[in-house]
Amino acid sequence: MARQTKARNKNPYIIVFWEGESEMAYMKFMRREFHEKANVKINKKRGVFQAAVKAFSTKGEYKDELKDIDEIWFLFDTEPDMRNQWEEYFAVVQKVRKQCKNARVRLLMTKSCIEYFFLLHYEKTAPSISNPSDKDLILKRLKDNHCPSYSKGDMESTFKIASHYMMGIQNGRWSLNRIANEIGNLQDSDERNRRLLLTDCTFTNVHEGIEYLLSLKKYEC
């Protein structure tokens, strides 16, 4: 039996490459929440840029779907040691764009840990995140103040957090807007994404992907 593609399902076809189990769990919630408006495919294997290279290769999982893909999401945390890898990552983005000519590629990033994005689902905050201790404090704050049952990759607690995505969008916008003076134009572009990868500022732009899913509802009758 032939695989179902965009030709049979008019909803946008989105493929998500993810860095960690918590990111995967969050996107599973979004797939369930917006299944009537988007065909969200979460890549089976963990990995971001190199996972995409493999998945879109001549022997990859999506080799027969290249023309059907509408969006490709790379969901990951930024770290200081990634700064010298921008050219490598961008080369993958360019290659994927050539292969999937109809697709928009989104880099959905959070400074240092996805738990900062999760925290924004409850409060407007931008603490410094520059070392492992700062990450631990973000996790502690999330658990102590909002979701005691949360642990990395736990589906039930991540779904509970994700259910507050409207607040996550609102506070995500605030988080990004507050660093406009450093980043410059905040509209999605290669240059903006390069600057986000390099910045020491606390930020997220993961909400942009969720905003896109939410925008699809405007087509409801």
Side-chain angles (χ1 to χ4, degrees), residues 169-217:
I169 290 174
Q170 179 179 324
N171 289 337
R173 290 172 182 163
W174 170 84
S175 175
L176 194 59
N177 287 335
R178 61 179 288 276
I179 64 170
N181 288 340
E182 176 179 338
I183 301 302
N185 190 338
L186 292 177
Q187 294 300 309
D188 186 11
S189 69
D190 294 333
E191 177 58 20
R192 184 208 68 166
N193 291 335
R194 184 187 72 84
R195 289 174 179 265
L196 288 178
L197 187 77
L198 298 179
T199 187
D200 289 322
C201 296
T202 300
F203 80 95
T204 188
N205 75 319
V206 176
H207 60 278
E208 293 177 339
I210 316 309
E211 283 180 310
Y212 171 69
L213 294 175
L214 195 61
S215 75
L216 299 175
K217 289 190 172 182

Side-chain angles (χ1 to χ4, degrees), residues 55-56 62-69 99-103:
F56 294 124
Y62 309 117
K63 62 183 176 63
D64 297 324
E65 303 178 7
L66 301 182
K67 295 181 180 179
D68 298 327
I69 301 167
Q99 293 173 299
C100 308
K101 299 187 186 309
N102 300 322

Side-chain angles (χ1 to χ4, degrees), residues 1 7 30 32-33 37 41 53-54 59 84 93 98 100-101 112 114 136 140 147 175 177 179 189 193 200 202 207 218:
M1 181 179 294
M30 292 302 154
R32 187 188 71 173
E33 182 76 3
K37 293 299 173 183
K41 177 71 175 288
V53 170
K54 184 175 181 180
K59 296 182 180 180
N84 61 358
V93 170
K98 289 181 180 179
C100 308
K101 299 187 186 309
S112 294
I114 191 65
D136 291 342
K140 185 177 187 302
C147 190
S175 175
N177 287 335
I179 64 170
S189 69
N193 291 335
D200 289 322
T202 300
H207 60 278
K218 70 183 181 182

Side-chain angles (χ1 to χ4, degrees), residues 7 17 26 54 69 72 103 120 128 133 139 141 146 162 180 189 201 208:
F17 294 93
Y26 187 88
K54 184 175 181 180
I69 301 167
I72 299 166
L120 290 174
S128 174
S133 295
L139 178 58
R141 190 166 163 183
H146 305 294
S189 69
C201 296
E208 293 177 339

Side-chain angles (χ1 to χ4, degrees), residues 62-81:
Y62 309 117
K63 62 183 176 63
D64 297 324
E65 303 178 7
L66 301 182
K67 295 181 180 179
D68 298 327
I69 301 167
D70 295 287
E71 300 232 346
I72 299 166
W73 295 4
F74 293 136
L75 181 60
F76 62 101
D77 301 329
T78 66
E79 300 283 359
D81 61 3

